[in-house]
Amino acid sequence: MELVRRVGSYGLLGDVGRFLVVRESGARVWSLPGGLLAHAEHPERAVTRAFTEQTGSTVSVGRLRAAVADVHTGAGDGVSVHTDRLLFDVAVDDGVPDVTDGGIETRWVAPEAVAELPLTPFSAELLGLPVVPLAADAYPSTEPPTPSHPDRRLRFGAYGMVTDPAGRILLTQIADGYPGAGKWHLPGGGTDHGEQPTTGLLRELVEEGGQVGRVVELLGVDNLHNPAALGPEGRPLDWHGVRVVYRVLVDVPTDAVVTESAGGSTARAGWFTVAETAELPLTGIAASAIGQLAA
């Protein structure tokens, strides 16, 4: 079976006890406004673009509220599509029309009434409602599997700003042969097909640091585009990485030990004070997360 990965970005637009949902003209299901990322597109940019396309309005993007994943096997014979979906708070910059010229219906819905609507499963999950499976032909036709490109890669990862009760920070060092080799990085990595972001992060925390942690907060999302990343493949590839960052606590820390099998991307791991991290070569995402912690 062909395994396809993609990332979607959506917005929660609230207005005095109601919020906005959309559906394609003639479709049977409603969804939160948003859609799939283009290659190299930042998730926040994807939200603003989708709102303009679907409602004719412009929005400002606020905090990241949730990150979930779903797998759909009805897109074609022998194809399994895994989509990681991000939900942002958004605020409208101008009026939202009832119907746009693009054939998209919009509706303001009160929270107590939304459960009566036929929703895409990911919209229900993002809104904290019961998830009801839909028939394969009920999914919006606007989200077909994206054709693969031989030199493009999309990677969705979950990373942790991991601390212990003493305030130390867990970092991992990138192994030779991988982009950023020698730099110290946040624990985490790419999620597996069918894996939820938090599940993947806690798995990576054990593999890369030998620690058992608990996720306490979703901090934000980082977008990385490297059009000529050179890694184990042996040739430059056009990489697009979408990386969500969580706050993670390790209540009973142990010595940091890399437990994943030999040949992985992590050379070693260690606990550091905030002051000690100032002397380390850090990846951009690690430096940003530590700077927010210290602020």
Side-chain angles (χ1 to χ4, degrees):
M1 177 173 284
E2 181 185 2
L3 304 181
V4 176
R5 296 292 298 263
R6 60 190 191 176
V7 179
S9 198
Y10 305 84
L12 183 63
L13 175 61
D15 176 51
V16 192
R18 59 181 187 165
F19 58 86
L20 191 71
V21 293
V22 300
R23 72 174 176 180
E24 188 178 349
S25 181
R28 291 180 288 160
V29 293
W30 293 83
S31 169
L32 292 168
L36 299 180
L37 273 63
H39 183 71
E41 186 177 35
H42 194 290
E44 294 182 5
R45 169 58 186 157
V47 172
T48 60
R49 173 180 54 79
F51 260 86
T52 299
E53 294 172 353
Q54 295 173 352
T55 73
S57 299
T58 57
V59 295
S60 300
V61 180
R63 72 182 180 95
L64 178 63
R65 294 179 62 97
V68 300
D70 58 75
V71 176
H72 176 43
T73 57
D77 293 338
V79 178
S80 176
V81 181
H82 172 124
T83 308
D84 293 287
R85 306 189 192 262
L86 306 175
L87 176 64
F88 295 88
D89 283 332
V90 298
V92 69
D93 295 334
D94 51 22
V96 179
D98 293 330
V99 180
T100 72
D101 294 336
I104 300 293
E105 298 179 70
T106 65
R107 179 185 293 184
W108 288 100
V109 184
E112 61 271 17
V114 70
E116 305 302 319
L117 289 179
L119 291 171
T120 54
F122 74 85
S123 295
E125 183 172 7
L126 288 170
L127 291 171
L129 297 171
V131 177
V132 179
L134 298 175
D137 60 359
Y139 281 77
S141 61
T142 54
E143 293 197 2
T146 303
S148 60
H149 188 288
D151 290 323
R152 285 182 177 174
R153 298 289 187 275
L154 172 64
R155 188 172 188 257
F156 184 89
Y159 293 82
M161 182 66 227
V162 182
T163 58
D164 69 0
R168 296 183 304 170
I169 300 168
L170 182 69
L171 296 174
T172 59
Q173 190 177 45
I174 301 174
D176 291 341
Y178 290 85
K183 291 186 177 181
W184 289 89
H185 196 29
L186 296 180
T191 58
D192 292 337
H193 195 91
E195 189 173 49
Q196 293 293 336
T198 53
T199 303
L201 170 56
L202 295 180
R203 171 183 54 78
E204 291 278 357
L205 183 58
V206 172
E207 295 176 354
E208 295 185 342
Q211 307 298 311
V212 175
R214 55 187 177 94
V215 176
V216 297
E217 184 183 5
L218 178 57
L219 297 177
V221 62
D222 174 82
N223 191 74
L224 175 67
H225 178 223
N226 188 339
L230 184 61
E233 297 83 6
R235 74 180 195 280
L237 296 175
D238 186 355
W239 275 94
H240 179 200
V242 178
R243 307 179 291 185
V244 288
V245 181
Y246 293 88
R247 182 91 158 83
V248 180
L249 296 179
V250 174
D251 296 303
V252 184
T254 60
D255 291 340
V257 178
V258 179
T259 64
E260 63 182 334
S261 60
S265 60
T266 304
R268 57 182 175 142
W271 288 103
F272 302 93
T273 66
V274 173
E276 288 171 337
T277 64
E279 305 300 322
L280 299 175
L282 300 172
T283 62
I285 190 173
S288 176
I290 293 171
Q292 293 177 27
L293 180 68

